[in-house]
Amino acid sequence: MAEVINMPRLSDTMEEGTVASWLKKVGDKIEEGDILAEIETDKATMEFESFHEGTLLHIGIEEGETTKVDELLAIIGEEGEDISDLLNGASADSTSDEQNDSAEDSNTETANQKHESSDESSVTESADNEALPEGVTVVTMPRLSDTMEEGTVAAWLKKVGDEVEEGDILAEIETDKATMEFESFQSGNLLHIGLEEGDTAKVDALLAIIGPKGTDVTSIAKNFKIDSEEPKQSEQPEAKKEEAKKEAPKKEPVAPQASKVQESKPSANVSANERVFVSPLAKKMAEEKGINLSQVNGTGDNGRIVKKDIENFTPNQQSASAAKFIPSGQEDFDEVPNSNMRKAIAKNLAKSKFTAPHYYLNVEFDMENAMAFRAQYNSLPDTKISYNDMIVKACALALRQHPQVNSQWFDDRMQLNNHVHIGVAVAVPDGLLVPVVKFANEQSLTQIGSAVKEFAVKARNKKLALDEMEGSTFTISNLGMFGIESFTSIINQPNSAILSVGSIVSKPVIKDGVVVPGNTMKLTLACDHRTVDGATGAQFLQTLKGYIENPVTMLV
C-alpha cells in the first residue's frame, strides 16, 4: 500500500521547508534509511531519510520550492500502483485548508494520513471513526530530531487539569540526541496524559489530550490507535505481570540484590510500583554524587525530588551500617535501560564500522614548539586556549589544502566540501555528542576556544540545539586529558575521516643525533578508503604536522 510522505518538521521552530535537492527520482527503488532529499529549514539544510521501502511514485515538491510542514512531499509504494486517489485527496485537502478561515475548524478535520516526520501536535480521530469533540486535540509524540524514532518523557511540566496556553512547555522529551522542551501548539485544559514520566514510545504515539475543561475523553484515549508499538513502560501492568508469573519456568532462588538488603521505609516520592518521581536535573546530580534516590525525601509537587533535595541530602547512618552486613561472594548487578541516545550511537557507529572500509594512519608529533607557543599565547590578557583548540585550528587549515579528506561519501556521489565544519566529540553520561565548530578555518584560536567551551557545557546539560550538532565535515576525538597515549575512532559518517588525539608524553627523543628530553603527542587518522587513499591521508598529516610543530604559521 502506498505511503504518503509529508514535509517533515526538522526543527522545533520549523513551519515550512524548501527542497534543496532530491537525491532520488520518480521510479527509483527506496530502502528504509535511504536519503530522499535535502530539506532547507529555518536553521540548516538537513538530510531527510525514508522510513519506508518501495518505489518513489510521485514527487510533490520540486527542487527550490517551499511548502508548509505536513504538506505532500512524496509518495512511496509498489511499482505501478495507482495513486490517483491519494493525489486527488491531497489536492482536495489543500483546497479545503485554503478555504478554512478558522484554525479551530481545521483542527477538527480527520487525519487520514500518517505524519511520519511532524513534531507538531497532531489531530486525529478515535478508532470508531467518530470525529473528535469540538476543541479537543490529540497530542502525539513529536519528532524532535531528524533521526528520532522514539522518545522518552523525562518530565511533565503540566499535570492533568492544568490550563495550557499556546507556547507553554508541556514536557521534557528525551530524544536520541538530547533532552528537549516540547511546547504546546494549542490552548485548553490538559485532559489526559498518555505516557508517564520515564515511559518510552514511538513517534506519533498518544502523548496527551487537550481540550475544553470537563470534556470526557476516556473513549478517545482508549480507542486511539497509531501504527507504532505500545509504550515501553517502566512497570508492566498487573495483568501482564500475573500472566508472566504463570508462564515463567521455575528457577532456583537467587540471593537478593545488595541494594535491596536494606528494608528501610520508602521515601514519599516512591510510588506503589517503586518508580521514583524526580526531575532530570536532580536525577543527574544524584548519579554524579552516587545517591540512592529511594532514600531521598522529595519536597516538590506530589513528593517529586528536586535539585535542593539532592543538595541537602544526608546519607542515612543506619543504611551505611546495614551495608556492612551484606554477605560476600554474592552475585549482583544493576540493569540500566538503554537511552535513546545510547541506542542511536550504537546504530550509527555499527553502521559506520561495518559499511565504511576503515584504515588507520599513526603519527607522532614533536610538541616542544606547541607548548612554548601556547604558554606565550595564554600570557596575553583574557586569553586562554587549549592544545585541543590548536589542533582544531591546524586541522581546519590543513583540510582546506586537502579537500579529499574533507569529503563525504554518498551512495551515488562523493561531495568535496569547500567549507570546513569540524565536529568536536564531547563525552556525556549517556554517551557521546559531537557539536560542530562551523567555518573553523576562518575563526581565531580564541574564537574556537570559546565555542568549544560553550558547546561542552551545553552538551553536558543536554542543551545543545540540533543545528549545533549538524553539518560536520571532519571530526576530532581527544582523550589526551585522560592520559590515553593513542587510540582509534570510528568515522562519523558521512564524513570521510576522524582524528584521534592522545596525550602529550615527556620522554627521551633524538635530535641532531643526540638523545635529549622531549615532549611528543601521538595522533591516529581513521580514513574511509572509498574517498581517501593512503597517500592522500599521509599528505594531510604532513601538512598538519607543519602547523602543529610550527604553530606560529597558523597566524600567518
Side-chain angles (χ1 to χ4, degrees), residues 165-211:
E165 297 293 332
E166 182 178 351
D168 283 356
I169 304 301
L170 279 181
E172 293 177 349
I173 306 294
E174 179 188 339
T175 74
D176 56 335
K177 293 183 176 180
T179 298
M180 305 176 67
E181 294 179 338
F182 174 55
E183 67 181 53
S184 174
F185 294 89
Q186 288 83 25
S187 297
N189 190 271
L190 184 55
L191 304 173
H192 174 78
I193 285 178
L195 295 172
E196 297 298 329
E197 292 184 357
D199 287 352
T200 298
K202 287 189 174 295
V203 168
D204 289 339
L206 175 63
L207 184 65
I209 301 177
I210 295 175

Side-chain angles (χ1 to χ4, degrees), residues 61 63 181 233 275 277 307-308 360 440 473 533:
I61 307 295
E63 291 184 359
E181 294 179 338
Q233 300 184 0
R275 187 163 64 83
F277 294 93
K307 176 184 176 183
K308 67 178 182 179
Y360 305 94
T473 60
D533 295 328

Side-chain angles (χ1 to χ4, degrees), residues 266-317:
S267 302
N269 60 283
V270 183
S271 63
N273 61 6
E274 295 186 353
R275 187 163 64 83
V276 179
F277 294 93
V278 57
S279 73
L281 177 57
K283 182 179 180 181
K284 181 176 183 293
M285 292 173 62
E287 290 174 352
E288 292 174 348
K289 295 184 177 184
I291 295 175
N292 184 350
L293 289 172
S294 66
Q295 302 304 315
V296 180
N297 291 317
T299 61
D301 294 339
N302 300 317
R304 190 180 189 213
I305 298 174
V306 294
K307 176 184 176 183
K308 67 178 182 179
D309 299 326
I310 301 299
E311 293 175 337
N312 299 331
F313 176 73
T314 302
N316 190 309
Q317 296 300 320

